Amino acid sequence: MKASTFADLSLLFVALIWGATFVVVQNAISFLEPLAFNAVRFSIAAILLGLWLVIFERHQLQKVDKRLLLSGIMLGFWLFIGYAFQTFGLLYTTSSKAGFITGLSVILVPLLMIGILKQRPGMNSIAGVSAATTGLYLLTMSDVSGLNIGDAFVLICAAGFALHIVFTGKFSSSYPTLLLTAVQISTVAALSAVSSVLFEDWQRVFQPEVIFSADVMVALLVTSILATALAFFIQTNFQKHTTATRVALIFAMEPVFAAITAYFWADERLTYSALAGCALIFAGMIFAELPSGKFESFVRKIFPKKEADFKA
């Protein structure tokens, strides 16, 4: 199996984890403030990564320098922006609109790659992004009410997640994976804790009937170990073997997995529109995996008079 194929499958597993834990997180934040939940979740993950680093990978500590710390802090900052502004946005907009706007990172990533990394997406990536965006709309947009301030907050969230993907691709091959992951996760934990103190009733975290409730404890254990420590370690480790646009398309599968999980666990029914959306998102991911040369030849046979210079 090629390294790029194994990387894509590993990142698809990350999307599966995030989608499958969505219902668990939703239940937990009905008891605990969202930013406080993220502060505890990322703190536990940071502690676990730190212990693994000290016990099993202590030699990596010799590679800590200013550039690594700044790179990890930058990744953590953009990741925090994504989580924080999604939380703020949900106070003013619907979850369906928030899901669609968050998914727009699939469009923002190739645009940011052009502006920041000077990399142009190939024709197959463009087709994949178009299909996935249409699928996200069909899957998530159950209402079409007017835009509001919450939508603007969620758009900032999408930009944060997109920038995190782009810069992970830039930094992941330059530094040890475990070190870089630990720094960014610790950054999110610290920023989430400060934000919770400023904007939330963070004292509830220390109420035993809240923090030790079954829903919160299960959510914290599952998300801190699987959806945070493991998931971001996998992303940081394997994104070096693929492109940022393909990562964005793979992560667009998260709402598909969330919808499937909700169907089995929460007895939520999928409409025909949602099913079509799931199919289009999956098709978009498949488009990105097709060999670019064959895809371009196929398109040029259909549109022989249109010539374009696309880079793979």
Side-chain angles (χ1 to χ4, degrees):
M1 183 181 295
K2 295 192 301 182
S4 60
T5 302
F6 186 74
D8 289 347
L9 290 174
S10 300
L11 292 166
L12 185 62
F13 176 66
V14 170
L16 171 62
I17 292 174
W18 287 340
T21 57
F22 187 80
V23 173
V24 176
V25 174
Q26 270 192 324
N27 291 336
I29 61 176
S30 64
F31 298 94
L32 193 65
E33 300 282 3
L35 288 173
F37 176 82
N38 281 333
V40 178
R41 163 188 172 178
F42 279 87
S43 294
I44 295 174
I47 291 170
L48 292 174
L49 290 170
L51 289 174
W52 187 272
L53 186 63
V54 171
I55 296 172
F56 300 105
E57 301 288 344
R58 187 175 299 179
H59 63 277
Q60 288 193 19
L61 295 173
Q62 300 174 359
K63 300 181 181 180
V64 175
D65 57 22
K66 183 178 179 180
R67 292 180 62 186
L68 182 146
L69 291 174
L70 289 176
S71 298
I73 290 171
M74 178 184 289
L75 291 176
F77 172 77
W78 290 122
L79 190 58
F80 164 75
I81 290 295
Y83 279 105
F85 277 89
Q86 186 178 62
T87 299
F88 293 147
L90 284 170
L91 296 174
Y92 304 98
T93 190
T94 63
S95 57
S96 59
K97 288 170 69 179
F100 173 68
I101 297 171
T102 301
L104 290 180
S105 58
V106 76
I107 296 176
L108 295 176
V109 166
L111 295 177
L112 290 168
M113 284 181 61
I114 295 173
I116 296 175
L117 304 181
K118 309 302 180 185
Q119 297 177 5
R120 293 176 59 190
M123 185 181 291
N124 50 345
S125 295
I126 293 173
V129 167
S130 301
T133 304
T134 304
L136 282 166
Y137 181 85
L138 292 174
L139 176 60
T140 61
M141 291 295 281
S142 58
D143 67 84
V144 289
S145 57
L147 298 177
N148 56 45
I149 187 65
D151 300 327
F153 285 150
V154 181
L155 185 60
I156 296 173
C157 146
F161 285 139
L163 284 163
H164 177 261
I165 291 173
V166 170
F167 282 112
T168 296
K170 181 177 181 180
F171 297 138
S172 61
S173 59
S174 302
Y175 306 106
T177 299
L178 185 57
L179 271 179
L180 190 61
T181 306
V183 173
Q184 66 172 308
I185 295 305
S186 300
T187 301
V188 179
L191 292 175
S192 297
V194 171
S195 299
S196 179
V197 171
L198 293 175
F199 300 109
E200 294 179 337
D201 181 18
W202 58 273
Q203 292 92 338
R204 293 189 65 200
V205 176
F206 300 101
Q207 296 177 8
E209 66 274 16
V210 175
I211 192 66
F212 292 114
S213 66
D215 287 330
V216 173
M217 288 298 295
V218 169
L220 284 173
L221 289 174
V222 170
T223 57
S224 61
I225 297 172
L226 294 179
T228 305
L230 178 62
F232 287 107
F233 178 84
I234 291 174
Q235 181 188 357
T236 306
N237 187 57
F238 287 105
Q239 192 171 327
K240 68 188 75 171
H241 300 297
T242 188
T243 67
T245 300
R246 285 167 74 174
V247 173
L249 282 166
I250 292 169
F251 285 173
M253 286 291 292
E254 179 187 347
V256 176
F257 290 129
I260 294 172
T261 302
Y263 175 81
F264 286 105
W265 288 4
D267 200 29
E268 293 184 10
R269 291 293 177 261
L270 293 175
T271 64
Y272 290 118
S273 174
L275 289 171
C278 291
L280 280 171
I281 294 171
F282 182 73
M285 186 185 68
I286 297 301
F287 285 155
E289 298 297 322
L290 294 176
S292 57
K294 293 182 180 179
F295 191 87
E296 290 175 28
S297 299
F298 173 74
V299 172
R300 287 182 177 133
K301 287 180 181 179
I302 300 176
F303 304 104
K305 295 182 180 180
K306 295 184 178 182
E307 296 183 359
D309 180 25
F310 290 96
K311 293 176 67 178

